[in-house]
Amino acid sequence: MVTQDQGRAARVEDVHALALGMPHVTVEHGSGDNPVYQVGRKSFVFFRNPRPDAFDPETGERYADVIVFWVESEADKQALVQDEASPFFTTSHFDGHPSVLVRAGRIGELTVREVAELVQDAWLSRASARRAAAWLSAHPPRAGS
């Protein structure tokens, strides 16, 4: 886990390091050779190719830097995407899908601590109950978190 400078602005490299730092993680490569981080053969974070559903509303250009993070529930998803000023968004392609999207170009609007929490929550939402319980036992929430 990234432990120093958790209050600094996050970078894409942090997403990779944090995802790889979770236990039992494997990396597959999707189309375009984009990394897909998995636990128990279930993806929890992946980097997406430009798709027609995620585009710049002014230019129509497809976003080439979308990162997908799984979330636990629709309520968690809505809590992240409801603030239009936040870097989180979704598209109709992901209606009913427990995930949120973030453009890599906006990841710096989040701190390393926030990205760590996002990655950990994504991992927990996809890991087996046994693996999740073991990880939570080893990483109890801190007071005030």
Side-chain angles (χ1 to χ4, degrees), residues 85-139:
S86 87
F88 300 105
F89 70 103
T90 190
T91 69
S92 59
H93 179 77
F94 287 92
D95 283 353
H97 192 272
S99 61
V100 295
L101 312 176
V102 178
R103 293 191 61 203
R106 293 189 67 187
I107 202 78
E109 294 176 36
L110 303 170
T111 65
V112 174
R113 181 176 290 108
E114 290 168 324
V115 172
E117 198 172 298
L118 191 63
V119 168
Q120 291 163 5
D121 289 348
W123 184 91
L124 286 165
S125 75
R126 304 293 284 166
S128 68
R130 181 181 54 78
R131 287 179 175 169
W135 190 86
L136 287 168
S137 175
H139 301 87

Side-chain angles (χ1 to χ4, degrees), residues 48-57 60-64 66 89 91-94 101:
R48 199 169 180 234
N49 286 332
R51 300 285 304 265
D53 64 308
F55 61 90
D56 184 308
E61 185 175 340
R62 294 178 182 183
Y63 295 143
V66 175
F89 70 103
T91 69
S92 59
H93 179 77
F94 287 92
L101 312 176

Side-chain angles (χ1 to χ4, degrees), residues 50-74:
R51 300 285 304 265
D53 64 308
F55 61 90
D56 184 308
E58 293 179 18
T59 66
E61 185 175 340
R62 294 178 182 183
Y63 295 143
D65 64 343
V66 175
I67 308 169
V68 180
F69 295 89
W70 259 251
V71 294
E72 183 64 33
S73 68
E74 182 67 20

Side-chain angles (χ1 to χ4, degrees), residues 13-81:
E13 296 80 24
D14 297 318
V15 176
H16 294 291
L18 289 161
L20 282 171
M22 296 303 293
H24 310 287
V25 169
T26 57
V27 182
E28 297 294 325
H29 291 296
S31 57
D33 208 33
N34 287 335
V36 177
Y37 295 96
Q38 298 181 334
V39 58
R41 306 185 103 189
K42 296 178 182 178
S43 60
F44 66 98
V45 173
F46 71 89
F47 289 72
R48 199 169 180 234
N49 286 332
R51 300 285 304 265
D53 64 308
F55 61 90
D56 184 308
E58 293 179 18
T59 66
E61 185 175 340
R62 294 178 182 183
Y63 295 143
D65 64 343
V66 175
I67 308 169
V68 180
F69 295 89
W70 259 251
V71 294
E72 183 64 33
S73 68
E74 182 67 20
D76 291 334
K77 176 180 184 169
Q78 291 308 314
L80 292 170
V81 302

